[in-house]
């Protein structure tokens, strides 16, 4: 292709241009062309603007979204690789339009509670990731001395439990521990993400009755735990985040804390926004997660909390396990592992309901890409803006499909979404400018090219890779205003 001249400069030529009449930009959706040089977005131009490029893709009416950022993924490798692994999890992510995941520190062995364990995790992940991967560290009793080194090593932040985590090697924090960890993290301006259920309010569950299981983990268990988090965050000035919020009665409390200036954020998950407890058949342990899916009134209130901006993000809590641990044969909710794996389906699940509610792709991109990227300190991710990584998703917002477990790419395709008709489907995804999916099968094709990411340094215009070399990013920092006009691309 012949290069063109702009404003008398040397001829320029992009590596890739992707055009869409529904390009989801930070300031809103409009027809536009995203021009890519190397791994980054070099320019945002008008849809029909002539641009010289090695490859020019016109999506027409298909939407172009920023690659999703899923900050709540349990990969489980090393140690419980038979549950899930980096290859299978990141292939499922790519097919679902998720171009960055943040791996949780527990369920792998060792858990990521020390710098040595983080090195083990990175070694396990190396060369087998189809999307970019960042890591959470763990805050457990007895690892206070590892918080600063892990923070320096680039973890996105720290995860803790306030209740039994389900695995013995990742113990919960007591109230005093929570305060003292938050105090340490405040000094680092590091984030603590919290599984907020209070064990004193949770009862043992058994049997096939889903209603009994839900009643065993009542909303008050979440409320009591979130009260503790808010109190500790207020006292220490630390940043705290509530993972997988299920009990909508907590939305008002979170809104109040935010209004009072407490540095609190919250996420919920696709399954809480899609399912209602009334629909769940007895014995259907594929629906088990903790905290549980609650009733339809609660679901409506969660949506309102999300739409009001009190809940900041929607992320998967992708947490698979072997089918035998899901207790599918007995249907016993007490015996079953709690976790729903939805990396590949989350975008469709959320869009299916969001569009019915009159929400837009801008909302979905904010909930599932921009806000999670900011949460995890990944300033080059989550936005179609000049200087950000060219992580792009071609999405057909009108295509419907029936969920076929045989097409799911995570290790064990147990799913409560089997047989459901969803609206909106990923057609292609690009990771730092490289197409990931075979156009026919829509599964990842070629070689895995994901990188292991460290948290971006706030105030610095760079992310730092595992080997310490910077990835240029012109839009770092929490207060960045993404540019939407052209900046000079690489010249050839
Ligand atoms: Zn989780």
């Amino acid at each position: 292709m012949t290069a063109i001249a702009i404003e008398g400069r040397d001829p320029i030529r992009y590596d890739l241009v992707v055009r869409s009449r529904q390009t989801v930009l930070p300031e809103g959706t409009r027809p536009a062309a995203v021009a890519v040089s190397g791994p980054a977005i070099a320019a945002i131009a008008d849809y029909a603007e002539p641009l010289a490029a090695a490859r020019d893709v016109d999506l027409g009416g298909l939407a172009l979204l920023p690659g999703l950022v899923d900050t709540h993924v349990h990969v489980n490798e090393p140690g419980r690789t038979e549950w899930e692994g980096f290859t299978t999890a990141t292939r499922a992510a790519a097919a679902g339009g998720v171009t960055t995941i943040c791996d949780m520190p527990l369920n792998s062995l060792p858990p990521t509670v020390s710098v040595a364990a983080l090195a083990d995790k990175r070694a396990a992940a190396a060369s087998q990731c189809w999307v970019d991967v960042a890591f959470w560290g763990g805050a457990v009793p007895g690892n206070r001395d590892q918080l600063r080194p892990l923070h320096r090593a680039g973890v996105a932040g720290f995860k803790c439990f306030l209740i039994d985590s389900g695995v013995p090697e990742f113990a919960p924090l007591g109230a005093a521990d929570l305060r003292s960890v938050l105090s340490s993290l405040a000094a680092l301006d590091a984030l603590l993400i919290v599984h907020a259920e209070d064990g004193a309010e949770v009862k043992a569950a058994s049997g096939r009755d889903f209603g009994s299981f839900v009643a065993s983990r009542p909303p008050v268990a979440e409320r009591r735990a979130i009260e503790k988090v808010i109190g500790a965050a207020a006292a220490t000035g630390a940043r705290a985040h509530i993972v997988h919020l299920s009990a909508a009665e907590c939305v008002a409390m979170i809104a109040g804390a935010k209004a009072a200036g407490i540095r609190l954020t919250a996420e919920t998950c696709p399954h809480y926004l899609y399912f209602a407890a009334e629909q769940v058949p007895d014995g259907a342990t594929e629906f088990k997660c903790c905290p549980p899916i609650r009733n339809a009134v609660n679901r409506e209130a969660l949506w309102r909390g999300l739409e009001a901006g009190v809940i900041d993000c929607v992320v998967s809590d992708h947490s698979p396990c072997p089918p035998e641990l899901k207790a599918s044969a007995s249907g016993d909710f007490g015996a079953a592992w709690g976790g729903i794996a939805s990396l590949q389906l989350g975008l469709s699940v959320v869009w299916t309901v969001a569009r019915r509610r009159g929400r837009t792709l801008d909302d979905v991109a904010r909930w599932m890409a921009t806000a999670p990227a900011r949460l995890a300190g990944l300033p080059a991710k989550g936005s179609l803006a000049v200087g950000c990584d060219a992580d792009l998703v071609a999405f057909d917002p009108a295509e419907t499909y029936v969920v076929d477990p045989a097409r799911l790419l995570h290790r064990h395709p147990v799913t409560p979404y089997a047989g459901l008709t969803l609206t909106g489907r990923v057609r292609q995804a690009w990771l730092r400018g490289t197409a990931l999916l075979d156009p026919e099968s829509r599964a990842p094709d070629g070689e895995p090219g994901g990188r292991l990411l460290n948290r971006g340094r706030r105030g610095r215009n760079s992310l730092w890779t595992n080997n310490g070399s910077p990835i240029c990013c012109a839009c770092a920092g929490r207060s960045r205003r993404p540019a939407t006009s052209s900046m000079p691309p690489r010249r050839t």
Side-chain angles (χ1 to χ4, degrees):
M1 182 179 289
T2 307
I4 60 171
I6 292 181
E7 296 173 0
R9 291 178 179 153
D10 296 339
I12 56 172
R13 179 178 163 95
Y14 298 100
D15 296 315
L16 171 70
V17 169
V18 183
R19 305 170 190 273
S20 162
R21 295 193 180 279
Q22 293 191 76
T23 304
V24 181
L25 299 169
E27 73 276 20
T29 297
R30 66 174 171 86
V34 174
V36 177
S37 285
I41 297 173
I44 307 290
D46 289 340
Y47 172 71
E49 189 166 321
L51 298 166
R55 185 160 160 68
D56 195 317
V57 180
D58 189 347
L59 299 176
L62 298 182
L64 182 62
L65 303 173
L68 304 193
V69 177
D70 191 335
T71 52
H72 197 146
V73 179
H74 296 267
V75 176
N76 303 332
E77 184 175 5
R80 289 193 177 90
T81 310
E82 70 276 18
W83 292 22
E84 181 62 298
F86 284 102
T87 295
T88 44
T90 59
R91 283 175 61 81
V98 177
T99 49
T100 303
I101 65 169
C102 298
D103 174 58
M104 280 293 169
L106 73 156
N107 301 349
S108 55
L109 293 169
T112 319
V113 296
S114 68
V115 171
L118 178 64
D120 288 349
K121 181 88 83 166
R122 288 184 186 282
S127 305
Q128 59 163 328
C129 296
W130 291 80
V131 302
D132 285 354
V133 179
F135 300 93
W136 296 105
V140 294
N143 83 329
R144 282 277 300 280
D145 64 336
Q146 289 294 312
L147 300 181
R148 182 180 290 272
L150 276 167
H151 181 71
R152 283 199 176 139
V155 295
F158 295 87
K159 167 86 176 280
C160 76
F161 276 69
L162 302 183
I163 189 171
D164 177 18
S165 72
V167 292
E169 66 278 1
F170 201 95
L173 298 181
D177 281 338
L178 173 67
R179 183 79 59 108
S180 110
V181 164
L182 275 173
S183 173
S184 297
L185 296 186
L188 302 171
D189 197 23
L191 175 69
L192 185 69
I193 66 173
V194 185
H195 180 123
E197 287 183 288
D198 185 332
E201 303 287 351
V202 169
K203 302 171 196 68
S206 65
R208 296 171 50 84
D209 179 39
F210 188 69
S212 299
F213 168 64
V214 176
S216 75
R217 304 184 89 105
V220 68
E222 291 186 65
R223 194 169 75 233
R224 293 280 178 253
I226 293 171
E227 284 168 357
K228 287 181 195 166
V229 176
I230 290 172
T236 58
R239 293 190 288 140
H241 174 79
I242 307 300
V243 298
H244 50 48
L245 180 72
S246 167
E249 68 178 49
C250 301
V251 167
M253 189 167 56
I254 293 168
K258 287 183 167 189
I262 295 166
R263 302 168 81 195
L264 187 71
T265 50
E267 71 189 34
T268 190
C269 306
H271 38 274
Y272 301 125
L273 296 170
Y274 189 89
F275 295 118
E278 298 92 320
Q279 306 168 316
V280 178
D282 288 348
T285 51
E286 63 271 26
F287 289 85
K288 180 179 177 181
C289 56
C290 299
I293 293 163
R294 303 189 191 279
N295 63 29
V297 172
N298 182 83
R299 177 182 60 187
E300 174 63 24
L302 271 183
W303 268 104
R304 292 182 184 213
L306 180 66
E307 290 164 347
V310 179
I311 299 171
D312 301 87
C313 340
V314 182
V315 291
S316 69
D317 195 7
H318 179 89
S319 187
C321 68
E324 56 273 23
L325 293 182
K326 226 25 191 159
S328 305
S330 68
D332 184 337
F333 283 99
W337 176 258
I340 292 176
S342 65
L343 258 173
Q344 195 171 334
L345 300 173
L347 175 57
S348 300
V349 169
V350 172
W351 177 239
T352 297
V353 186
R355 73 194 286 269
R356 280 206 303 261
R357 300 178 65 88
R359 309 312 301 189
T360 65
L361 289 171
D362 301 82
D363 296 318
V364 173
R366 187 173 67 255
W367 299 329
M368 303 186 81
T370 314
R374 183 171 298 170
L375 179 79
L378 300 172
K381 301 296 188 183
S383 295
L384 296 184
V386 171
C388 286
D389 284 354
D391 298 345
L392 319 173
V393 172
F395 182 70
D396 184 341
E399 181 179 345
T400 60
Y401 66 102
V402 176
V403 176
D404 176 2
R407 296 185 65 124
L408 297 179
L409 300 174
H410 58 269
R411 178 147 293 159
H412 303 290
V414 176
T415 175
Y417 298 102
L420 296 177
T421 300
L422 301 178
T423 302
R425 195 166 195 187
V426 172
R427 290 283 196 93
Q428 182 56 281
W430 289 264
L431 176 66
R432 285 177 273 99
T434 301
L436 294 176
L437 306 181
D438 175 80
E440 291 297 315
S441 68
R442 302 192 195 177
D445 190 25
E447 297 295 321
R451 284 186 180 166
L452 309 185
L453 301 178
N454 284 357
R455 182 192 70 258
R457 294 182 183 183
R458 295 175 66 189
R460 296 280 297 271
N461 283 340
S462 63
L463 281 179
W464 290 79
T465 61
N466 196 23
N467 63 12
S469 60
I471 303 169
C472 177
C473 177
C475 49
R478 288 163 61 91
S479 61
R480 69 184 163 87
R481 300 306 309 165
T484 54
S485 57
S486 298
M487 75 178 205
R490 192 176 71 187
R491 295 187 175 83
T492 56

